[in-house]
Each structure stands twice: as C-alpha cells, then as structure tokens.
Amino acid sequence: MCGIVGYIGASQAAPILLEGLRKLEYRGYDSAGVAILGGATPGTQIARCEGKLANLRERVANEPLEGTTGIGHTRWATHGRPTESNAHPHRQGKVSVVHNGIIENHMALRRSLQDQGCTFDSETDTEIFAHLIERKMADAGSLREAVSAALAEVEGTWALAVAHDDTPGELVAAAKNAPLMVGIGEGEMFIASDVVAMLDHTRIVADLLDGDIAHLTAGGFTMHDAEGNAVERPRRTIDWNPIAAEKQGYKHFMLKEIHEQPRVLSDSMSGRVSVVEPDIILDGLELDVSAFDRIIILACGTSWHAALCGKYLIESLARIPVEVDLASEFRYRDPIVSDRDLTIAISQSGETADTLAALREAKRRGAATMAICNVVGSTIARAADQVIYTHAGPEVSVASTKAFTSQLVVLSLFALKLGKLSGKLDDDGLRTMLESLSSLPEAMNRLLGQLAGMRTIARRYSGARDFLFLGRGLGFPVALEGALKLKEISYIHAEGYASGEMKHGPIALVDDDVPIVVIALRGPGYDKVVSNLEEVRARGGKIIALATVGDSEIADIAHDVVLVPDVHELFQPIVASVPLQLFAYHVADLKGTDVDQPRNLAKSVTVE
C-alpha cells in the first residue's frame, strides 16, 4: 500500500508533490521519490531517497527541481528491499513510472525482457512497466496507447502514473484493483491514490474504475476503459477536512484499518492462490517437508495469538508437530532445537527485539528459519533463511488489527502448502479449502456491513472493570486476542481462557459485574461451549456471544449475540476477530482513551 501523487498545471510541481506525499506518508515510509519535467531543463529530473520523506525533502531543498509537471511516490516495499535503487519513480529511456500494486507475472516478464536485451536497475516489479511502456512507444500513436499496450501483457493489480520526456504537457494514469483518482482544478489537474493528497487544491475528483486509463493535460482529462472505449466517470465533491481525510473519514486510524481488512485479505492472497491446479505460490519459498520433523513458531503479543492458530492449522492439515513459544521466553530456558526443526518467527514490523533474538538463537542451534512479517527488508526478514510477507500495508494504530488477520491468512496458506507437500491433503480437498479461503474477503465485507449495532453493545458494557473471554479450539486464541485488544486500548482488565478451563478457577470471578465474551461458532466443541454458557448464566454472568449466522439456539442463553458469517471452521478466526476488534474500539472510544496511541505502548517493540 504505497502513495501516488501527480500534478500538471502552471505552478511548480515539486512543492505540490512533496506536500501531497507528506499527507500520503501513512501509506508507506520505506522510500520516496519524484520525477519533474516541463521546466527550463530538457527531459525529466528525478530525486529519490531511502527512508522517510524528510530525506527527500532535504535533497530537493538542496537541489531544487523545476518544472510544472510531475509524479511522486512514497513506498511500502513489496518487491525488493527499501533502498534508493528500488524507490520510485522508475525510469527507462524517456519513460518515468510510479506504481502501487503487484505484478503477478513479474518473473516471466522480467525474463522475457532480459532475453530481449533489457537491463534492470532494481529488484522491483514496477521497473517492468517502464521497460514495457518504453518499448511500446515505438509502435503506439500516443503515451496512452503505449500504456494500454503494456498493461495488456501484465497480470496483477496496479495504480499507475506515467510521464514521458517528449510530452511534458501530459500525464497518463491507470488503475486495476487499486485506488486512483483524478483531481480537477482550474487550469491544473492532479492524480492521487488518496484524496487527502490534493484537498488543499481541489475537492472535485473522478475515480478510475478497474481497467480505466486517464489522459491528463493542464486543461482537463479524458478517460478510456479497458477495451479502449472513451468513457465518462462521475465527478464527486469531497467535503472532508484535511485531518479527517488522512483517515478517509474515519475517526481513528484503528477504525479505518479494521475496515481495510477485506482488501488486505485479498492482497495477502493475491498472486498466491491457484484454485484450478490447485496450488499455493509463496514468494519463491522452497520447502522440503522431509527435511524437518517439527516446526517451532516464535512470536510475541498479537503475533503469538496468530501463531497459536497456525499450530492448529498446520497440525490439522499437514500432521506436522508444532510448538508455539513466546519469543521473550525462548532464549532463557535452554530450548531443545536441532537441524531437524523449522523455526518460524512472526512479527508485524520485522523489528521485534525478543522475536529477533529468539530467531537468531534457533538459527545458532542449527534450525532452518523462516519469517512471516509485514515489512520488506526488515531485520527479521533479513535474518531468516526465507520469508513470507503479509502485504497488509502500513498499520498506523498501535493496536494491531489488519496485520493480525493477514498473518492468519498467510499461516493458512502455509499450512495448506504443507498439507499438499506432505500428501495429507489431496487436490480435491485443497481446492475446496482454497475456494473457502478465497471467499473470506467478501464474507468479511458482509460482516462489517452488519456490525453497526456494535457500538450499542459496547455502550452497555463500557462501565465494567473486568471482562472474561472464552473460546475452545481455534476460538481460544481468538478469545486471547479479543481480551488483549480490549485491555490495550480501553485499559479495562480482560483475560482470555480456554472454555474448558472455566471450572478450574475463572468461574469464581463470574457475577453480574463481570461480562463474559464467548466465541461460540458452529463446529467441533460447540456443544461444550454452550454448556459453559449455561454455567455462566446460572451464576448471574452477562454473556456476549459470537455465533454463526443461522444459530437460533444461542439467543436463548446469551444477553447479546453477534452473528458471524458461516465460513470453514479452520478459517473462523479470521472473521471472528473483527467483531472483537470493533467491540474493543467502541468501548475505548466511549471511554475517551487515545485509541491509536494507547498509553505506555509502542507500535514496534525494539528493546527487550
């Protein structure tokens, strides 16, 4: 999830682009760059910097770029490390390109272009666009036609802005399954992946639909669809203030990130799932299941809860033993590790100090290592032998939401891959599972649309001082995560337990002042969970139940019921986590806490 901005008009482009990138920096802060043309200097001037946008601003201040046309980009790395050479814009010949998205057939295209004599300067998939468009210009009648011809060879997702040295008075933009819009000014035009980048200049925008290509000049724009037909797209007026716009109208980043999850699930699966074969392609991961006897998963906090789900998934689908360790404890107990172990470290940031140290200890003891993380080129990603990226995009709020569900998706894909490789899952079974997994983004969209009443439930219980969360099987780590979210941002004491442990102590806490949140989805153990609810109700406990759509029985026991779409039991945690995230959010918001930056907590724990 990167940020794109473009400008064409009578003003100097560099200050406009840099300010737009500042407002888009939440979408990516690995590197940034601009391409400026249309000034006294012929051709295109490019400035790129690794790291935060401040580095680019300093470079442009020291080496000013003049011109009235330009494109800019702030990067969240997906293909290639976060280095200056991998920063956008990418350039080939006279073509400059910025891109959000993923080219799924990038390896095949790169090989083909190299066979034709092309030399690549970066590790990114985006550079392929620059090569393709430059080559198509020889036969195309215009830059728009060259872009269209290049896109016909590409599989994947994109939001794209393109400039050409010979036509400094025009820009071309294209989109497929990624947000991009045209901003309409007076004698000037804008391109942006988020409206916040151009609100200081215009509030009238036109969105590119999937397959659209827009051609911009200072005086206006035209739009063509994927078939090359000229089309009109409706214009809309934005009435957000700039601060609200950075959150796209949401009150907090956490709420925005909760609602981004359907798209994030799609991004996490994009280019990785082949239902027809069936197969899973995981970033070039090389796996020999005969090379290890056991898997050890290391993680902290929310990632540890994801790891508990991963244990259940891998053991169920591949029948490989899995141990889950708190990374903060792993090094201090003289763990038994051998070269027959595969150790997996899970971390959103890829910088978690405890997890990094545990991974290095496992590697020192001879284990093969793998990382699951969200940040390309992070320390943990570099330390591991192999890595799978979650592609969740930047997560601004300290309390993790979309990073957690994307970790669950990647663990599901990994478990399915192991099931196929180990022979425990045949093609028919794998195909069924992949179809179920692929349906989750739509199921989550439906769920989010049905959760408008969650604030009312939150208001009912926001005065409580203590909560218990209960779950069985895969519901147990969901309960742990739900309790963690509530305590993180509302400062209410909350604990998660396995439902079967109720009678071994926690039931002593049950009274009408301690609400009980129960994950009671249909599947193995459902009847046992219902029995636990009966025990709680008999002792005066107030019950909030997560139940499967169509479950009428649970309403006779629970005081409040939240219905969750009926998905495959192994993927239930991915959707069941969402209502608990929203419940925690609304309780915290009602209590007036700092939702996005709760006290005493940091986004990335880089010290022990």
Side-chain angles (χ1 to χ4, degrees):
M1 189 175 79
C2 310
I4 284 176
V5 62
Y7 173 78
I8 185 166
S11 300
Q12 286 296 309
I16 295 171
L17 296 181
L18 289 171
E19 180 59 18
L21 291 177
R22 184 190 69 79
K23 294 180 178 179
L24 292 175
E25 195 173 15
Y26 78 90
R27 297 178 66 92
Y29 34 78
D30 292 330
S31 58
V34 293
I36 306 292
L37 61 164
T41 303
T44 299
Q45 306 166 75
I46 289 184
R48 305 185 299 181
C49 284
E50 179 182 342
K52 297 293 183 70
L53 181 63
N55 298 337
L56 178 64
R57 296 177 74 94
E58 182 179 355
R59 177 170 295 183
V60 173
N62 293 330
E63 304 171 20
L65 305 177
E66 294 188 358
T68 56
T69 300
I71 53 178
H73 189 270
T74 182
R75 183 174 185 239
W76 179 262
T78 54
H79 287 80
R81 295 164 296 162
T83 61
E84 182 173 334
S85 63
N86 288 331
H88 301 214
H90 286 285
R91 186 163 169 80
Q92 176 59 33
K94 297 181 178 182
V95 174
S96 302
V97 178
V98 294
H99 164 231
N100 297 346
I102 296 173
I103 300 178
E104 294 173 5
N105 61 334
H106 70 98
M107 294 180 68
L109 287 173
R110 182 182 284 256
R111 284 194 299 268
S112 173
L113 288 165
Q114 287 172 332
D115 289 344
Q116 297 172 54
C118 293
T119 300
F120 284 79
D121 298 319
S122 76
E123 303 167 300
T124 70
D125 56 345
T126 298
E127 191 180 350
I128 288 167
F129 278 122
H131 283 279
L132 285 175
I133 295 168
E134 172 69 14
R135 297 176 83 83
K136 299 299 182 184
M137 282 296 292
D139 299 318
S142 67
L143 179 59
R144 180 188 67 78
E145 291 174 357
V147 171
S148 179
L151 292 177
E153 298 187 18
V154 176
E155 299 171 9
T157 62
W158 57 77
L160 199 68
V162 185
H164 194 283
D165 293 2
D166 292 344
T167 54
E170 67 178 14
L171 293 173
V172 171
K176 180 185 176 185
N177 292 326
L180 198 63
M181 60 192 73
V182 172
I184 303 156
E186 294 184 7
E188 57 186 6
M189 301 293 292
F190 304 83
I191 302 168
S193 49
D194 190 325
V195 68
V196 64
M198 49 192 178
L199 273 187
D200 289 342
H201 305 280
T202 182
R203 292 176 179 269
I204 303 172
V205 302
D207 297 290
L208 278 73
L209 303 186
D210 282 355
D212 281 356
I213 299 178
H215 176 262
L216 289 78
T217 65
F221 73 102
T222 58
M223 198 90 76
H224 289 75
D225 64 17
E227 284 71 44
N229 304 309
V231 291
E232 293 283 340
R233 299 302 183 205
R235 302 182 180 193
R236 57 192 176 98
T237 301
I238 307 298
D239 58 5
W240 296 344
N241 64 57
I243 294 175
E246 292 191 30
K247 301 183 178 77
Q248 295 181 348
Y250 293 103
K251 187 175 182 180
H252 297 95
F253 278 108
M254 181 179 178
L255 187 60
K256 171 178 172 287
E257 288 159 4
I258 289 171
H259 282 82
E260 284 178 345
Q261 288 177 110
R263 179 191 57 76
V264 167
L265 297 193
S266 295
D267 288 350
S268 296
M269 288 185 268
S270 180
R272 292 171 164 172
V273 173
S274 174
V275 175
V276 177
E277 266 84 36
D279 201 3
I280 302 102
I281 303 94
L282 291 174
D283 303 348
L285 193 71
E286 295 181 4
L287 282 173
D288 178 4
V289 292
S290 67
F292 52 88
D293 301 320
R294 177 181 65 154
I295 294 173
I296 303 170
I297 308 182
L298 305 169
C300 297
T302 285
S303 296
W304 185 68
H305 300 154
L308 293 174
C309 292
K311 170 184 171 69
Y312 197 108
L313 287 161
I314 293 167
E315 292 187 344
S316 295
L317 294 168
R319 308 307 297 163
I320 297 172
V322 179
E323 290 186 14
V324 176
D325 253 291
L326 284 165
S328 56
E329 296 291 323
F330 183 73
R331 286 187 301 152
Y332 302 107
R333 63 173 183 82
D334 192 19
I336 300 172
V337 181
S338 78
D339 59 4
R340 297 291 301 172
D341 292 325
L342 171 63
T343 301
I344 303 173
I346 305 178
S347 167
Q348 186 281 136
S349 66
E351 304 295 342
T352 310
D354 288 316
T355 307
L356 175 61
L359 178 72
R360 286 173 169 165
E361 179 65 16
K363 195 169 189 175
R364 186 184 70 81
R365 292 173 181 250
T369 57
M370 191 181 93
I372 294 174
C373 68
N374 193 31
V375 181
V376 173
S378 59
T379 305
I380 288 174
R382 296 196 307 270
D385 299 326
Q386 302 191 76
V387 61
I388 308 174
Y389 291 109
T390 55
H391 298 320
E395 191 173 60
V396 177
S397 182
V398 167
S400 182
T401 52
K402 63 178 183 173
F404 174 67
T405 49
S406 66
Q407 287 171 354
L408 293 180
V409 169
V410 166
L411 284 164
S412 299
L413 292 171
F414 181 67
L416 290 168
K417 184 71 171 181
L418 288 179
K420 176 184 174 71
L421 292 175
S422 66
K424 303 300 182 183
L425 196 58
D426 63 22
D427 282 356
D428 288 341
L430 179 58
R431 187 176 294 108
T432 298
M433 298 292 287
L434 290 175
E435 288 172 349
S436 297
L437 191 62
S438 299
S439 71
L440 292 185
E442 177 55 33
M444 193 177 285
N445 255 326
R446 293 198 310 272
L447 175 61
L448 284 165
Q450 296 163 3
L451 290 176
M454 187 57 77
R455 191 171 182 86
T456 300
I457 297 175
R459 189 183 302 278
R460 196 170 295 145
Y461 298 99
S462 60
R465 295 183 59 185
D466 303 279
F467 274 80
L468 292 178
F469 286 69
L470 304 177
R472 183 178 289 268
L474 278 167
F476 173 43
V478 174
L480 291 172
E481 176 63 11
L484 178 62
K485 282 294 151 287
L486 186 63
K487 72 178 76 172
E488 278 182 314
I489 61 174
S490 74
Y491 316 143
I492 294 173
H493 174 248
E495 296 296 334
Y497 287 95
S499 299
E501 292 296 299
M502 268 295 288
K503 292 190 288 292
H504 297 276
I507 199 166
L509 298 174
V510 175
D511 61 26
D512 59 5
D513 292 324
V514 180
I516 317 292
V517 180
V518 183
I519 291 78
L521 303 181
R522 289 286 190 189
Y526 172 79
D527 292 337
K528 299 289 187 183
V529 174
V530 171
S531 295
N532 293 138
L533 293 187
E534 297 281 12
E535 293 165 355
V536 169
R537 190 175 180 91
R539 288 158 178 81
K542 297 292 193 297
I543 299 169
I544 307 165
L546 263 63
T548 307
V549 169
D551 185 347
S552 56
E553 179 182 355
I554 206 79
D556 296 330
I557 307 170
H559 298 81
D560 289 282
V561 177
V562 179
L563 295 176
V564 175
D566 188 5
V567 301
H568 193 286
E569 63 192 51
L570 291 179
F571 307 138
Q572 286 175 346
I574 299 172
V575 292
S577 300
V578 175
L580 301 185
Q581 294 168 355
L582 275 173
F583 179 73
Y585 168 79
H586 286 302
V587 170
D589 188 40
L590 288 164
K591 291 176 71 67
T593 65
D594 189 341
V595 172
D596 286 331
Q597 295 181 320
R599 67 189 184 202
N600 304 330
L601 295 176
K603 185 63 184 170
S604 179
V605 183
T606 57
V607 294
E608 287 194 64

